[in-house]
């Protein structure tokens, strides 16, 4: 039941729309599918009691009409919206500017799902509406999220205003220095900040600024959302009951004549009661006149009887006078005896008075002791109840503390393990780079040594060619064979022995050249040995080099894998932090709701509010597979179920008196209209209905679940949901297992 302090339009209330996040709205009771405000409190005065106030007092008690939010005088300046800037808001990625707008009428056209409704949501967001009334579960959902744009920290909406003076046609004049901008930014931790012309302000400052320019934030009749025009046109001419609201009540609320309803009812009640009293008096007078005429004869007989009776009394009086004279004599004698007895009684009375005084003092002392005893007993009883309550609170707090400590320890251990893994992964690249540098340095040294030896070999071969020109012609064939055999060590040695034997034969003829040839052979053998050693070393290095390269590749692959693991660990830590923040915010909300529910359940246990069932989400069960779907599509899970609307009113009065918090109630006595619609219905592609998946023991509570869910279907993915939602003959409300919702309006 909404309080009278924030009277929103009927269409807005039927859509479940709450005007502003800082407005003082109380609890709401849901009945017959609509949230209707209890505009007139129940009459505390019974029908038999007449309002004793005078006519002047009743007329004087009528409150003055509310002042108009703004006046449209010709030539007077008025406010208009020039353009809207959405940055990462819902379906708008990046910074998107909407406008400029016409001074009187602007139309936004587009297919379903193109973001038309998100423009109205952006205005609601800036004007301070809660996330649930912008078709979102929380503020962080308003931030744009897609495959191309992920992990965006915040979203911002800017609404730019200016004051103008209308001229003929579409022309207008802008008032100098009248432009201003109001913006609101939402963050991932479900918090938001307001700005006016770039400076940070509170929502109260924003409300004061907008009210000063004629925007009616109190009654919230400057925005008409989807379906509200149809709901207003389908209203009944007049409410059938006291809590019903029809077109008459809605128009009276708009024009301000609803303030006259209570005085008119009081005056009508007084006229009816006075007419009833007048009729009763007239009927009584007529009855008395009839009875008087009927008793006339009896009256005459009674007069005759009284005359005879008077004569008898006179005779009896004479006889009594004689007896009185005789009795006076006897009385004198008895008085003498009485005086004696009085003297005796005086003494007895004195003794009894003393005893009475003593008893009085003792009774006073006894009463004081009884008062003290009663006070002590009351104090003990009061403290017992307080002690029991504190004991229960202490047990709950300890359990919550243990649970929180265990969670904190687990998270600390997991964080420590992640830190150790990160340190190990950081050390791996440094060790692998050292091994790679050492192998590269060895390889460079070996390559340099190989180049030096090859240069020495070339020098020796050049010197031999100059000294043995004549012999070389004969040795060409042998040298060719020698060069071929030099590739393999064993073949090179055999060729060298043959060459030496042939050289000995030739040295017999050339004694002078023999010494030089022997020296050349020695140098050749030494160089061949060194060459063979170098080749073996090169072979060893070439054999080890692929292994080193393979190890290097493995180290690089391991390094890449560790880098991926490190990024995955960072993402995991980031997701865990986000989940912890979301858990903290949801825990704070559940604690506030838990206080209200706990206070109401305590009243139920004490017998003050017997018709309380409990929280709607606690009265049913569903498979874990559909948990996300029902939590995102059913916003009434936190509503409290009661048996009648009177019980709901009692709960509201208790919460107001104790200042515990606010809650929304569902009255089961108003849910009977949904009983026929609870039966199973044919659905497209045999898609299951979310209501049929809820397991509830009490059939009455099933009515409340149907009221909250209606004919919402559940699909596996968004593709199937869009296919099921848009049928030729009917549109369906569909929710996916991931929590994505397609409304009947197409959004």
């Amino acid at each position: 039941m909404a309080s009278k302090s924030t009277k929103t339009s009927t269409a807005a209330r039927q859509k479940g729309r709450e005007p502003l996040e800082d407005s003082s709205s109380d609890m709401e009771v849901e009945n017959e599918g609509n949230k209707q405000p209890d505009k007139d409190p129940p009459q505390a005065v019974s029908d038999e009691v007449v309002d004793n106030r005078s006519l002047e007092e009743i007329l004087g008690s009528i409150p003055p009409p509310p002042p108009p939010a703004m006046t449209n005088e010709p030539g007077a300046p008025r406010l208009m919206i020039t353009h809207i800037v959405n940055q990462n808001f819902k379906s708008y990625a990046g910074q998107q500017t909407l406008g400029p707008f016409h001074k009187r009428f602007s139309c936004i056209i587009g297919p379903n799902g193109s973001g038309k409704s998100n423009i109205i949501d952006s205005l609601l967001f800036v004007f301070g509406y809660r996330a649930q009334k912008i078709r979102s579960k929380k503020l962080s959902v308003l931030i744009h999220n897609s495959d191309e744009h992920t992990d965006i920290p915040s979203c911002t909406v800017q609404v730019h205003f200016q004051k103008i003076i209308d001229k003929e046609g579409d022309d207008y004049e802008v008032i100098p220095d009248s432009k201003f901008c109001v913006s609101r930014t939402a963050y991932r931790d479900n918090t938001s900040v307001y700005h006016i012309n770039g400076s940070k302000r509170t929502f109260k400052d924003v409300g004061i600024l907008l009210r000063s320019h004629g925007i009616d934030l109190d009654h919230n009749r400057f925005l008409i959302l989807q379906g509200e025009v149809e709901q207003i046109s389908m209203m009944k001419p007049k409410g059938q009951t006291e809590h019903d609201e029809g077109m008459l009540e809605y128009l009276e609320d708009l024009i301000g004549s609803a303030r006259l309803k209570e005085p008119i009812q009081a005056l009508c009640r007084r006229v009816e009661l006075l007419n009833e009293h007048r009729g009763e008096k007239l009927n009584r007078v007529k009855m008395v006149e009839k009875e008087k005429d009927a008793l006339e004869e009896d009256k005459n007989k009674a007069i005759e009887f009284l005359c005879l009776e008077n004569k008898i009394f006179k005779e009896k009086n004479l006889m009594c006078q004689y007896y009185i004279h005789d009795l006076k004599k006897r009385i004198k004698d008895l008085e003498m005896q009485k005086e004696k007895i009085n003297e005796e009684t005086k003494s007895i009375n004195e003794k009894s008075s003393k005893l009475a005084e003593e008893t009085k003092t003792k009774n006073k002392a006894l009463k004081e002791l009884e008062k003290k005893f009663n006070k002590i007993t009351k104090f003990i009883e009061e403290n017992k109840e307080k002690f029991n309550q504190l004991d229960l609170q202490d047990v709950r707090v300890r359990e919550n503390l243990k649970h929180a400590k265990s969670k904190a320890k687990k998270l600390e251990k997991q964080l420590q393990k992640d830190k150790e893994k990160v340190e190990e992964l950081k050390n791996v690249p440094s060790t692998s780079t050292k091994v790679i540098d050492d192998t590269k340095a060895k390889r460079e040294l070996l390559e340099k040594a190989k180049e030096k030896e090859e240069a020495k070999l070339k020098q020796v071969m050049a010197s031999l060619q100059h000294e043995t020109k004549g012999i070389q012609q004969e040795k060409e064939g042998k040298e060719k064979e020698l060069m071929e055999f030099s590739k393999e060590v064993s073949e090179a040695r055999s060729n060298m022995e043959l060459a030496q034997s042939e050289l000995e034969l030739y040295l017999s003829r050339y004694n002078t050249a023999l010494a030089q040839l022997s020296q050349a052979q020695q140098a050749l053998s030494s160089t061949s040995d060194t060459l063979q050693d170098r080749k073996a070393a090169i072979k060893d290095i070439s054999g080890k080099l692929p292994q080193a390269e393979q190890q290097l590749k493995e180290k690089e692959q391991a390094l890449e894998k560790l880098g991926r693991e490190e990024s995955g660990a960072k993402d995991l830590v980031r997701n865990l932090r986000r989940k912890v923040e979301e858990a903290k915010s949801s825990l704070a909300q559940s604690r506030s709701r838990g206080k209200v529910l706990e206070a109401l359940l305590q009243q139920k246990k004490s017998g003050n509010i017997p018709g309380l069932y409990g929280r709607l989400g606690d009265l049913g069960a569903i498979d874990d597979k559909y948990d996300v779907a029902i939590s995102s599509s059913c916003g009434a899970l936190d509503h409290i179920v009661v048996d009648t609307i009177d019980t709901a009113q009692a709960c509201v009065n208790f919460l107001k008196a104790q200042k515990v918090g606010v809650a929304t109630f569902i009255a089961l006595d108003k849910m009977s209209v949904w009983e026929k619609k609870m039966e199973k219905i044919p659905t497209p592609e045999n898609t299951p209905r979310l209501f049929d998946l809820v397991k509830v023991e009490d059939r009455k509570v099933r009515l409340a679940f149907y009221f909250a869910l209606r004919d919402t279907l559940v699909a596996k993915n968004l593709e199937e949901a869009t296919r099921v939602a848009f049928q030729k003959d009917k549109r369906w409300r569909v929710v996916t297992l991931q929590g994505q919702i397609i409304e009947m309006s197409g959004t």
Side-chain angles (χ1 to χ4, degrees), residues 8 49 87 92 98 127 162 267 280 312 355 387 404 493 526 535 551 560 571 598 664 682 685 703 734:
T8 59
V49 180
Q87 185 172 3
Y92 295 98
L98 307 171
F127 291 145
Q162 69 179 4
L267 293 173
E280 289 177 1
I312 294 168
L355 294 172
F387 179 76
R493 284 181 180 178
S526 62
K535 285 181 179 180
Q551 290 178 357
E560 290 177 358
D571 294 336
E598 185 179 353
T664 306
E685 301 181 10
L703 290 169
V734 187

Side-chain angles (χ1 to χ4, degrees), residues 237-286:
K238 186 178 180 182
Q240 296 178 354
T241 62
E242 182 182 358
H243 300 287
D244 244 350
E245 187 172 19
M247 183 63 75
L248 177 62
E249 288 80 6
Y250 178 63
L251 292 175
E252 284 184 345
D253 186 20
L254 283 177
I255 64 178
S257 62
R259 60 196 177 87
L260 304 173
K261 185 177 180 181
E262 186 177 354
I264 290 170
Q265 288 178 352
L267 293 173
C268 290
R269 200 178 300 113
R270 179 182 291 183
V271 170
E272 289 175 0
L273 291 173
L274 291 174
N275 286 331
E276 289 177 1
H277 288 308
R278 177 177 171 277
E280 289 177 1
K281 299 293 183 185
L282 288 173
N283 292 330
R284 195 174 296 175
V285 169
K286 290 178 181 178

Side-chain angles (χ1 to χ4, degrees), residues 585-693:
S585 63
S586 63
L587 180 62
Q589 293 176 359
S590 63
R591 279 180 180 172
S592 64
R593 290 194 298 266
K595 287 181 181 178
V596 173
L597 184 59
E598 185 179 353
L600 292 174
L601 291 176
Q602 191 69 27
Q603 288 294 310
K604 181 183 177 182
K605 288 180 181 179
S606 61
N608 295 331
I609 306 176
L612 184 68
Y613 284 85
R615 178 178 169 270
L616 180 62
D618 298 334
L619 299 176
I622 197 169
D623 191 3
D624 294 338
K625 179 181 177 181
Y626 305 102
D627 190 15
V628 176
I630 195 170
S631 61
S632 59
S633 64
C634 184
L637 289 177
D638 292 325
H639 295 182
I640 298 171
V641 181
V642 294
D643 54 354
T644 62
I645 197 166
D646 294 328
T647 305
Q649 183 62 48
C651 294
V652 171
N653 294 334
F654 169 73
L655 293 175
K656 282 183 179 179
Q658 299 296 326
K659 295 182 180 179
V660 178
V662 296
T664 306
F665 299 90
I666 300 176
L668 294 179
D669 61 341
K670 300 295 182 181
M671 296 291 110
S672 57
V673 295
W674 306 111
E675 191 167 2
K676 294 181 180 178
K677 298 183 180 180
M678 287 170 53
E679 298 177 357
K680 288 189 177 181
I681 58 174
T683 59
E685 301 181 10
N686 292 324
T687 306
R689 191 169 58 165
L690 194 58
F691 165 72
D692 297 328
L693 301 173

Side-chain angles (χ1 to χ4, degrees), residues 355-528:
L355 294 172
E357 288 177 358
E358 291 177 359
T359 53
K360 281 182 181 179
T361 54
K362 289 181 179 180
N363 286 328
K364 286 181 181 178
L366 182 62
K367 286 181 180 178
E368 289 177 356
L369 292 173
E370 286 179 353
K371 287 181 180 178
K372 289 181 180 179
F373 179 73
N374 291 328
K375 287 181 180 178
I376 291 167
T377 51
K378 285 182 181 178
F379 180 74
I380 290 168
E381 289 176 356
E382 291 175 356
N383 287 329
K384 275 184 180 178
E385 292 178 358
K386 290 180 181 178
F387 179 76
N388 291 330
Q389 291 177 358
L390 292 172
D391 195 11
L392 290 171
Q393 290 179 1
D394 185 46
V395 171
R396 288 173 189 158
V397 170
R398 286 181 181 176
E399 289 177 356
N400 292 331
L401 186 62
K402 285 181 182 178
H403 187 62
K405 283 183 177 179
S406 63
K407 276 189 176 179
K409 287 181 180 178
K410 288 179 182 178
L411 291 172
E412 286 178 357
K413 288 180 180 178
Q414 187 66 30
L415 185 63
Q416 189 66 28
K417 288 180 181 178
D418 293 338
K419 285 182 179 179
E420 291 176 358
K421 282 184 179 180
V422 170
E423 289 179 358
E424 291 177 0
L425 294 174
K426 285 181 179 178
N427 293 327
V428 168
S430 62
T431 55
S432 60
T433 50
K434 287 180 181 179
V435 173
I436 292 165
D437 294 337
D438 293 339
T439 53
K440 284 182 178 179
K442 287 180 181 179
R443 182 179 175 183
E444 290 176 356
L445 291 172
L446 292 172
E447 286 179 352
K448 288 179 180 179
K450 178 183 174 183
E451 290 176 356
K452 288 179 180 179
E453 294 298 330
E454 286 180 352
K456 288 180 181 179
L457 181 63
K458 286 179 180 179
Q459 290 177 0
V460 170
M461 294 297 292
S463 63
L464 287 172
Q465 284 178 0
H466 288 294
E467 292 175 356
T468 59
K469 285 182 180 180
I471 299 168
Q472 241 176 357
Q473 292 177 355
E474 297 176 359
K475 280 177 62 181
E476 283 178 359
K478 302 295 181 180
E479 283 180 355
K480 289 178 181 178
E481 293 177 358
L482 183 64
M483 290 299 290
E484 291 177 357
F485 292 132
S486 62
K487 294 179 181 178
E488 298 177 358
V489 177
S490 60
E491 291 178 359
R493 284 181 180 178
S494 63
N495 290 330
M496 285 175 66
E497 289 175 357
L498 291 171
Q500 284 178 358
S501 63
E502 289 177 357
L503 284 170
E504 287 175 356
L505 294 173
Y506 288 113
L507 284 171
S508 62
R509 295 177 185 177
Y510 301 102
N511 293 323
T512 56
L514 185 60
Q516 295 178 356
L517 183 61
S518 62
Q519 292 177 357
Q521 287 176 351
Q522 291 176 0
L524 184 61
S525 63
S526 62
T527 53
S528 63

Side-chain angles (χ1 to χ4, degrees), residues 22 218 234 244 428 433 466 539 541 585 640 648 718 732:
D22 290 343
D218 295 325
M234 296 297 290
D244 244 350
V428 168
T433 50
H466 288 294
K539 284 181 181 180
I541 292 169
S585 63
I640 298 171
L718 189 60
W732 297 81

Side-chain angles (χ1 to χ4, degrees), residues 227-244:
E228 290 186 3
V229 175
E230 183 181 356
Q231 290 177 1
I232 294 170
S233 64
M234 296 297 290
M235 279 185 182
K236 298 175 182 179
K238 186 178 180 182
Q240 296 178 354
T241 62
E242 182 182 358
H243 300 287
D244 244 350

